Amino acid sequence: MNKTMKRVLTLALAMLMLLSLTVTAFADDGEVYPATGTVTVYRTDKSGESYVTVTLASGSKNFTIKRSSVTVKPGTTGAALVEFNKHRDIVDGEYDYGMGQWDKGGWYDCNYTATLRVSAAGTATVKYKIGTTSYTLKVKVLDYVNPVKTITLTGVNSGKSFAARTNPSTYATKSLALKKTTKNAVLKVTAKSGWKINSVGIQDQTTGAVRIFANYSGVSSATLKWGTLNKAHIYSIELELVNTKNGASMTVSYSVIGSAAEALF
């Protein structure tokens, strides 16, 4: 898997939606939610091999899924497991403003994801175990479609839409050029019919600064004011959209490289 794809998959995980859950109480101090039923996902590329990521289970406590328990039946998709990851956040405590004191009780946020390499649309099946209990998740894989109708950014592409950059896949393989430092830059996005925008984000890869617009009820268009785009910096743009008919989410991304930063590539 190339670096661009790994970056897209990693960022996409941050906004991944768990679309089908069966709730099971494992202990009084937390719950684990295994994913069962059917989850619908879109391929990351229009043709050839591509990747999809699904959440197997999530919980409010630490738990274990052994890699050896995970099996994939490819069905018509040609699916094969290429990544199996555990993600865990631990909070040592939080300040309770109602009580006016620090609550030192920590909590876990734990989940497991599986990334599948697929070659066609269709249905695959993922089986796994938590303890001695087996679970089955059906993965309905759809062909990639570009969910973005228009996207513009001040100072980039002569102010014209660059939505076509993600026609072949979720990540634009050709970067956008920022010819000069631009003040008062604004990013505007419009979704295609049948899609809603959940979030729009810009990150300055040079400084780490991030700005995000989010509305998880879904909107047809979004505007994000950034400020100054520096020609010596590199930027990434990430959009999360959701299909209004099947509930499947998709993350698309673009990169913007300033003229003074081109020497880095």
Side-chain angles (χ1 to χ4, degrees), residues 139-198:
V139 183
K140 184 178 181 181
V141 180
L142 303 179
D143 281 327
Y144 171 73
V145 293
N146 187 355
V148 182
K149 181 178 180 180
T150 62
I151 176 170
T152 60
L153 177 62
T154 311
V156 172
N157 200 40
S158 301
K160 299 177 182 178
S161 173
F162 47 89
R165 297 280 178 115
T166 47
N167 278 345
S169 65
T170 57
Y171 55 98
T173 55
K174 186 177 180 181
S175 299
L176 293 151
L178 175 65
K179 296 181 179 180
K180 61 181 181 180
T181 295
T182 304
K183 295 181 178 181
N184 302 316
V186 178
L187 178 68
K188 296 182 179 181
V189 184
T190 303
K192 285 185 177 178
S193 177
W195 292 84
K196 293 290 185 181
I197 301 166
N198 273 1

Side-chain angles (χ1 to χ4, degrees), residues 77 93 163 176 213 250:
T77 68
L176 293 151
F213 162 89
M250 186 185 298

Side-chain angles (χ1 to χ4, degrees), residues 39-248:
V39 61
T40 302
V41 294
Y42 283 90
R43 297 176 61 197
T44 54
D45 292 82
K46 185 171 287 187
S47 60
E49 290 186 340
S50 56
Y51 300 86
V52 298
T53 298
V54 295
T55 296
L56 300 180
S58 62
S60 55
K61 61 176 241 179
N62 190 25
F63 66 99
T64 300
I65 297 177
K66 293 183 179 180
R67 166 64 183 85
S68 58
S69 78
V70 182
T71 59
V72 177
K73 291 186 177 181
T76 57
T77 68
L81 181 65
V82 293
E83 284 192 12
F84 174 69
N85 294 307
K86 179 179 183 177
H87 312 269
R88 188 176 66 169
D89 294 325
I90 303 172
V91 176
D92 292 329
E94 59 184 346
Y95 189 81
D96 188 328
Y97 285 92
M99 298 293 293
Q101 64 185 20
W102 183 262
D103 180 5
K104 295 182 179 180
W107 52 269
Y108 290 90
D109 179 17
C110 182
N111 69 79
Y112 285 81
T113 59
T115 298
L116 311 178
R117 182 178 62 241
V118 296
S119 56
T123 303
T125 303
V126 181
K127 294 185 177 182
Y128 63 97
K129 289 183 178 180
I130 301 176
T132 59
T133 305
S134 298
Y135 298 94
T136 299
L137 177 66
K138 290 185 178 181
V139 183
K140 184 178 181 181
V141 180
L142 303 179
D143 281 327
Y144 171 73
V145 293
N146 187 355
V148 182
K149 181 178 180 180
T150 62
I151 176 170
T152 60
L153 177 62
T154 311
V156 172
N157 200 40
S158 301
K160 299 177 182 178
S161 173
F162 47 89
R165 297 280 178 115
T166 47
N167 278 345
S169 65
T170 57
Y171 55 98
T173 55
K174 186 177 180 181
S175 299
L176 293 151
L178 175 65
K179 296 181 179 180
K180 61 181 181 180
T181 295
T182 304
K183 295 181 178 181
N184 302 316
V186 178
L187 178 68
K188 296 182 179 181
V189 184
T190 303
K192 285 185 177 178
S193 177
W195 292 84
K196 293 290 185 181
I197 301 166
N198 273 1
S199 65
V200 174
I202 303 178
Q203 180 173 8
D204 185 331
Q205 299 290 342
T206 306
T207 66
V210 177
R211 187 160 293 177
I212 297 173
F213 162 89
N215 184 324
Y216 289 94
S217 297
V219 293
S220 57
S221 62
T223 298
L224 180 62
K225 295 181 180 180
W226 173 261
T228 300
L229 291 171
N230 193 313
K231 68 177 183 180
H233 293 190
I234 299 170
Y235 301 87
S236 62
I237 299 170
E238 302 285 347
L239 318 175
E240 185 195 29
L241 301 97
V242 174
N243 186 284
T244 57
K245 291 183 179 180
N246 56 37

